[in-house]
Structure formats: C-alpha cells, structure tokens
Amino acid sequence: MYELPSLPYAPDALAPHISEKTISFHYGKHHQGYVDKLNAAIGDGDLKGKSLEDIILAAKERSDAGLFNNAAQIWNHNFFWNSMSPEATSPSGALASAIDDAFGGVEGFNEKFTAVATGHFGSGWAWLVARKDGLEIKSTSDADLPLAHGERALLCCDVWEHAYYLDYQNARPAFVGVFLKELINWDFAAENMAK
Ligand code: MN3
C-alpha cells in the first residue's frame, strides 16, 4: 500500500497565497485520489512494495498509461508541496551560481519560468531541472515528469487548473507570480541539486 505523504507544513500555512480550501481539495482529494487509484492498479501485482520511482519507470517501459499517470502524479505532487515554503528562501552557494550562469540571476529565472509556466498549453507542470551542462526550465504535459526523461528535477509548479482555480480562477499568471514571489522553496532546490 502506498500512502499519501504528510504535507511539509500545516494546511493553512501557505494562505492567503494558497488557501486552506485549495489545499483541502488539491491535497486531500486530487493527490489522495492518485494514491487510491495507484493502490487499486498495483493490487498484489509484481510492482507491490516497489518505490514510486521504480513504478513510474516500469509503467513507462510497459506503456501502461493508467499506471504511469497515477504514479507520476503522486510523485509530482509530493515534489510540488516541497517546492513551496511558508518561509522566504533564496538561492545560495552552488545553486545561486548555477542560476546566475543559466539565467543571469533570479530575475532572469523568474522571467523564463513565468514564460514557460504561463505559456504551457493545458494541464501540466513547470520545472527547474539540472543537466550536466547546467540548469534549464521546461514544462511537461499532464503527468509527465523529468524522471521519465533521465533528468533531475530541482523544483516544480503545478499548472493544472485545479492548482489555482479556487484562489485565482482562470488567472494562471497571477498564480505563477505568487508562486515565484511568495512560495518558492529554494532550500528544497539546493537539497536536490546536492544529491
Ligand atoms: Mn495538481
């Protein structure tokens, strides 16, 4: 049985930027729903007890879209909650240098991330990924994620409508702006970069 991980903060900790009501649906219903569907799909099959990463890669290998989508959405949401913090953070050390090299600084990062996250058509995710030759910002559609492409994720933002509709209605740019200005967890990105 895969279990829904605890949130890294209280359900109202990101308010007013992300309301407790949004968390109650997004974490309590959507994220929980992916967990329930994954458990139903795995049952007593050969993937029982495997890590989420192993399940995602096996599902991709088998072209099992249902399994892939639910497992990947669990991973993505686990990662998304940790990509935000109620405390203000900023890039430091090796991460700050890599941000400078790739984007000319945090402002350049914010501009590129905003363009990618708001420009992504339909449901998906905006990511900061680390490659051998430096950092890159990209988006993926639906449940797709960097892990399925051999890339290491540092941060992500959920741009499915359910992530922002209750608080910002259709205004994805407003949500992305708040994510970057108020919520982004650079300490989490630094931890992922050091792995
Ligand atoms: Mn979501």
mmCIF file with all atom_site columns, all heavy atoms in Angstrom, residues 26 77 125 158 160 162, ligand 1:
data_model
loop_
_atom_site.group_PDB
_atom_site.id
_atom_site.type_symbol
_atom_site.label_atom_id
_atom_site.label_alt_id
_atom_site.label_comp_id
_atom_site.label_asym_id
_atom_site.label_entity_id
_atom_site.label_seq_id
_atom_site.pdbx_PDB_ins_code
_atom_site.Cartn_x
_atom_site.Cartn_y
_atom_site.Cartn_z
_atom_site.occupancy
_atom_site.B_iso_or_equiv
_atom_site.pdbx_formal_charge
_atom_site.auth_seq_id
_atom_site.auth_comp_id
_atom_site.auth_asym_id
_atom_site.auth_atom_id
_atom_site.pdbx_PDB_model_num
ATOM   1  N  N   . HIS A 1 26  ? -6.906 20.025 -3.310  1.00 0.00 ? 26  HIS A N   1
ATOM   2  C  CA  . HIS A 1 26  ? -5.754 19.641 -4.135  1.00 0.00 ? 26  HIS A CA  1
ATOM   3  C  C   . HIS A 1 26  ? -4.959 18.500 -3.489  1.00 0.00 ? 26  HIS A C   1
ATOM   4  O  O   . HIS A 1 26  ? -4.587 17.527 -4.160  1.00 0.00 ? 26  HIS A O   1
ATOM   5  C  CB  . HIS A 1 26  ? -4.871 20.878 -4.360  1.00 0.00 ? 26  HIS A CB  1
ATOM   6  C  CG  . HIS A 1 26  ? -3.907 20.739 -5.476  1.00 0.00 ? 26  HIS A CG  1
ATOM   7  N  ND1 . HIS A 1 26  ? -3.007 21.717 -5.802  1.00 0.00 ? 26  HIS A ND1 1
ATOM   8  C  CD2 . HIS A 1 26  ? -3.685 19.733 -6.354  1.00 0.00 ? 26  HIS A CD2 1
ATOM   9  C  CE1 . HIS A 1 26  ? -2.282 21.302 -6.826  1.00 0.00 ? 26  HIS A CE1 1
ATOM   10 N  NE2 . HIS A 1 26  ? -2.665 20.108 -7.181  1.00 0.00 ? 26  HIS A NE2 1
ATOM   11 N  N   . HIS A 1 77  ? 3.137  15.674 -7.194  1.00 0.00 ? 77  HIS A N   1
ATOM   12 C  CA  . HIS A 1 77  ? 2.522  16.435 -6.100  1.00 0.00 ? 77  HIS A CA  1
ATOM   13 C  C   . HIS A 1 77  ? 3.384  16.397 -4.837  1.00 0.00 ? 77  HIS A C   1
ATOM   14 O  O   . HIS A 1 77  ? 3.523  17.426 -4.165  1.00 0.00 ? 77  HIS A O   1
ATOM   15 C  CB  . HIS A 1 77  ? 1.096  15.946 -5.830  1.00 0.00 ? 77  HIS A CB  1
ATOM   16 C  CG  . HIS A 1 77  ? 0.113  16.428 -6.860  1.00 0.00 ? 77  HIS A CG  1
ATOM   17 N  ND1 . HIS A 1 77  ? -0.144 15.736 -8.013  1.00 0.00 ? 77  HIS A ND1 1
ATOM   18 C  CD2 . HIS A 1 77  ? -0.631 17.566 -6.931  1.00 0.00 ? 77  HIS A CD2 1
ATOM   19 C  CE1 . HIS A 1 77  ? -1.026 16.424 -8.744  1.00 0.00 ? 77  HIS A CE1 1
ATOM   20 N  NE2 . HIS A 1 77  ? -1.340 17.538 -8.113  1.00 0.00 ? 77  HIS A NE2 1
ATOM   21 N  N   . TRP A 1 125 ? 3.030  20.768 -15.896 1.00 0.00 ? 125 TRP A N   1
ATOM   22 C  CA  . TRP A 1 125 ? 3.968  21.154 -14.838 1.00 0.00 ? 125 TRP A CA  1
ATOM   23 C  C   . TRP A 1 125 ? 5.090  22.005 -15.414 1.00 0.00 ? 125 TRP A C   1
ATOM   24 O  O   . TRP A 1 125 ? 5.559  21.749 -16.527 1.00 0.00 ? 125 TRP A O   1
ATOM   25 C  CB  . TRP A 1 125 ? 4.581  19.898 -14.211 1.00 0.00 ? 125 TRP A CB  1
ATOM   26 C  CG  . TRP A 1 125 ? 3.553  19.006 -13.595 1.00 0.00 ? 125 TRP A CG  1
ATOM   27 C  CD1 . TRP A 1 125 ? 2.777  18.073 -14.231 1.00 0.00 ? 125 TRP A CD1 1
ATOM   28 C  CD2 . TRP A 1 125 ? 3.143  18.989 -12.222 1.00 0.00 ? 125 TRP A CD2 1
ATOM   29 N  NE1 . TRP A 1 125 ? 1.921  17.484 -13.340 1.00 0.00 ? 125 TRP A NE1 1
ATOM   30 C  CE2 . TRP A 1 125 ? 2.126  18.021 -12.094 1.00 0.00 ? 125 TRP A CE2 1
ATOM   31 C  CE3 . TRP A 1 125 ? 3.543  19.710 -11.085 1.00 0.00 ? 125 TRP A CE3 1
ATOM   32 C  CZ2 . TRP A 1 125 ? 1.493  17.759 -10.877 1.00 0.00 ? 125 TRP A CZ2 1
ATOM   33 C  CZ3 . TRP A 1 125 ? 2.926  19.431 -9.877  1.00 0.00 ? 125 TRP A CZ3 1
ATOM   34 C  CH2 . TRP A 1 125 ? 1.907  18.468 -9.775  1.00 0.00 ? 125 TRP A CH2 1
ATOM   35 N  N   . ASP A 1 158 ? 2.820  23.264 -10.219 1.00 0.00 ? 158 ASP A N   1
ATOM   36 C  CA  . ASP A 1 158 ? 1.661  22.595 -10.815 1.00 0.00 ? 158 ASP A CA  1
ATOM   37 C  C   . ASP A 1 158 ? 0.864  23.639 -11.600 1.00 0.00 ? 158 ASP A C   1
ATOM   38 O  O   . ASP A 1 158 ? 0.412  24.627 -11.025 1.00 0.00 ? 158 ASP A O   1
ATOM   39 C  CB  . ASP A 1 158 ? 0.806  22.009 -9.680  1.00 0.00 ? 158 ASP A CB  1
ATOM   40 C  CG  . ASP A 1 158 ? -0.320 21.113 -10.157 1.00 0.00 ? 158 ASP A CG  1
ATOM   41 O  OD1 . ASP A 1 158 ? -0.688 21.191 -11.343 1.00 0.00 ? 158 ASP A OD1 1
ATOM   42 O  OD2 . ASP A 1 158 ? -0.837 20.341 -9.319  1.00 0.00 ? 158 ASP A OD2 1
ATOM   43 N  N   . TRP A 1 160 ? -1.806 22.641 -13.563 1.00 0.00 ? 160 TRP A N   1
ATOM   44 C  CA  . TRP A 1 160 ? -3.155 22.156 -13.806 1.00 0.00 ? 160 TRP A CA  1
ATOM   45 C  C   . TRP A 1 160 ? -4.125 23.195 -13.217 1.00 0.00 ? 160 TRP A C   1
ATOM   46 O  O   . TRP A 1 160 ? -3.827 23.789 -12.176 1.00 0.00 ? 160 TRP A O   1
ATOM   47 C  CB  . TRP A 1 160 ? -3.395 20.822 -13.088 1.00 0.00 ? 160 TRP A CB  1
ATOM   48 C  CG  . TRP A 1 160 ? -2.756 19.615 -13.709 1.00 0.00 ? 160 TRP A CG  1
ATOM   49 C  CD1 . TRP A 1 160 ? -1.444 19.429 -14.003 1.00 0.00 ? 160 TRP A CD1 1
ATOM   50 C  CD2 . TRP A 1 160 ? -3.433 18.403 -14.081 1.00 0.00 ? 160 TRP A CD2 1
ATOM   51 N  NE1 . TRP A 1 160 ? -1.255 18.171 -14.538 1.00 0.00 ? 160 TRP A NE1 1
ATOM   52 C  CE2 . TRP A 1 160 ? -2.459 17.529 -14.589 1.00 0.00 ? 160 TRP A CE2 1
ATOM   53 C  CE3 . TRP A 1 160 ? -4.765 17.976 -14.019 1.00 0.00 ? 160 TRP A CE3 1
ATOM   54 C  CZ2 . TRP A 1 160 ? -2.766 16.246 -15.055 1.00 0.00 ? 160 TRP A CZ2 1
ATOM   55 C  CZ3 . TRP A 1 160 ? -5.078 16.696 -14.472 1.00 0.00 ? 160 TRP A CZ3 1
ATOM   56 C  CH2 . TRP A 1 160 ? -4.088 15.850 -14.995 1.00 0.00 ? 160 TRP A CH2 1
ATOM   57 N  N   . HIS A 1 162 ? -6.669 22.861 -11.452 1.00 0.00 ? 162 HIS A N   1
ATOM   58 C  CA  . HIS A 1 162 ? -7.096 22.594 -10.073 1.00 0.00 ? 162 HIS A CA  1
ATOM   59 C  C   . HIS A 1 162 ? -6.118 23.175 -9.047  1.00 0.00 ? 162 HIS A C   1
ATOM   60 O  O   . HIS A 1 162 ? -6.451 23.308 -7.881  1.00 0.00 ? 162 HIS A O   1
ATOM   61 C  CB  . HIS A 1 162 ? -7.337 21.086 -9.840  1.00 0.00 ? 162 HIS A CB  1
ATOM   62 C  CG  . HIS A 1 162 ? -6.116 20.223 -9.886  1.00 0.00 ? 162 HIS A CG  1
ATOM   63 N  ND1 . HIS A 1 162 ? -6.060 19.015 -10.557 1.00 0.00 ? 162 HIS A ND1 1
ATOM   64 C  CD2 . HIS A 1 162 ? -4.872 20.374 -9.344  1.00 0.00 ? 162 HIS A CD2 1
ATOM   65 C  CE1 . HIS A 1 162 ? -4.865 18.475 -10.402 1.00 0.00 ? 162 HIS A CE1 1
ATOM   66 N  NE2 . HIS A 1 162 ? -4.127 19.275 -9.680  1.00 0.00 ? 162 HIS A NE2 1
HETATM 67 MN MN  . MN3 B 2 .   ? -2.278 19.090 -9.024  1.00 0.00 ? 1   MN3 B MN  1
#
